[in-house]
Every structure is written in C-alpha cells, then in structure tokens.
Amino acid sequence: NITSVSGTIEVYKAGEFFDTLDLDGTQTLSPDEAGQLSVSWTAPEFEKYSADAKVVWNSRSFLTSQNFTVGEPLLEVEKFIREQNGNKAKITLTLANKWIEPINAVNPKFNIHNNSQIISSIYTSQQDIPAKSSVEFTAEFEIADIQSVKVEAVVAYSGKTLSQSLEASKTQAV
C-alpha cells in the first residue's frame, strides 16, 4: 500500500525560477488502485517554460522535467490601408506576430472584388515574421472604377487563416 503521496512542481521561465505549485491528489492507494496528482496553473503570458516535478510516496521519490510552451501562433492586423493615386491603388498590410517564436512563410493574398466578383488576386512576397515583431506587406493594382472595389486580405499561416476587408473609398484605413 501507498500510505502517503505528495508532490511539487517548480516552474521556470527563461531558465529562472518562476513559481512553486503543490500537487493535489490521492493520499493513499491500495495495490490495485491508480491515482493522479494534479494542479491548475494559469500562465501569465505566452512563453516558453520548463518544469521540474517531484513526487514522494512511502519515503521514495520520482523526479521528472518537462519543457513546454503556453500559447499558439497568432498574427494580428496592425494596419490595413488602401491609398488611391489616379487609377492606381496601393495596399499596405502590417501584420504583428504575437507569438514567442517566428511564424514562417507568411504570404498574404489580396483579392480584389468588384460587384461581389473577384476580378484579381495579388500575392505579396513571402516573408518570415520574427517573434513579437511586425512586418509590412504591400501590393499595387490598377483599376478604372476604384469607388466600387472591395479589397480582401487573406493570410494563411500555421494552419490558420486571417482575413480582413476594405471597401469603397479612395483612401481608407482600418
């Protein structure tokens, strides 16, 4: 029989001690029983962490370590602008990487709509966006009736899709 079970987890952020967590669980176990130790913890931010867990039972102990990351890749639109100069329009899309690691192979596509139909798709150059940084993408197109055009930015990255639209005006920002 296991008559006494306890455990702690020490959490580290960037190699520096961050927090100690006491595990909740089963105090005694019979030979055919299984038990579980657990604790709930809310990370204060997206980050890379490591943890050292120590479980003690009947004067024995078990140690294990684990590296883990909290969060997931996330891009946000910082700026989406369309500027007009005669029959030419310039589109500027600034994407911010909110993730703690680079997001690679980001290649926005701009769909140009007129009367609910896609009349053109423009791809920008593919870029990697460094961790916690922003990158600007631009494209230009020509069209006679810019007043009735909708521009949709579609960005596929890390298995996700981000999209945002601008509609009908000579100069517009979101």
Side-chain angles (χ1 to χ4, degrees), residues 8-70:
T8 59
I9 296 176
E10 291 184 350
V11 179
Y12 298 85
K13 176 181 167 186
E16 299 291 322
F17 174 77
F18 187 72
D19 202 358
T20 298
L21 310 169
D22 292 318
L23 296 169
D24 300 323
T26 308
Q27 292 304 308
T28 62
L29 293 172
S30 299
D32 293 335
E33 281 186 295
Q36 180 175 328
L37 298 172
S38 64
V39 65
S40 293
W41 178 67
T42 302
E45 62 184 315
F46 289 170
E47 194 56 71
K48 292 181 181 179
Y49 297 91
S50 62
D52 295 331
K54 181 178 183 179
V55 178
V56 179
W57 74 97
N58 294 356
S59 301
R60 294 182 182 174
S61 64
F62 172 77
L63 300 171
T64 186
S65 296
Q66 181 72 45
N67 294 321
F68 61 99
T69 302
V70 174

Side-chain angles (χ1 to χ4, degrees), residues 80-84 89-93 108-122 124 138-143 145-154 163-170 172 174:
F80 189 19
I81 299 173
R82 185 181 71 214
E83 298 174 90
Q84 177 71 27
K90 179 180 177 183
I91 307 162
T92 302
L93 175 68
K109 173 176 73 169
F110 297 108
N111 292 324
I112 313 303
H113 298 258
N114 194 350
N115 298 323
S116 302
Q117 299 290 320
I118 294 177
I119 58 172
S120 182
S121 291
I122 304 167
T124 65
T138 60
E140 293 185 3
F141 67 97
E142 288 188 37
I143 191 161
D145 183 13
I146 198 68
Q147 294 298 330
S148 63
V149 170
K150 171 181 158 185
V151 179
E152 174 189 34
V154 180
S163 66
Q164 189 155 352
S165 298
L166 289 174
E167 300 202 38
S169 90
K170 288 190 176 186
Q172 183 181 34
V174 169

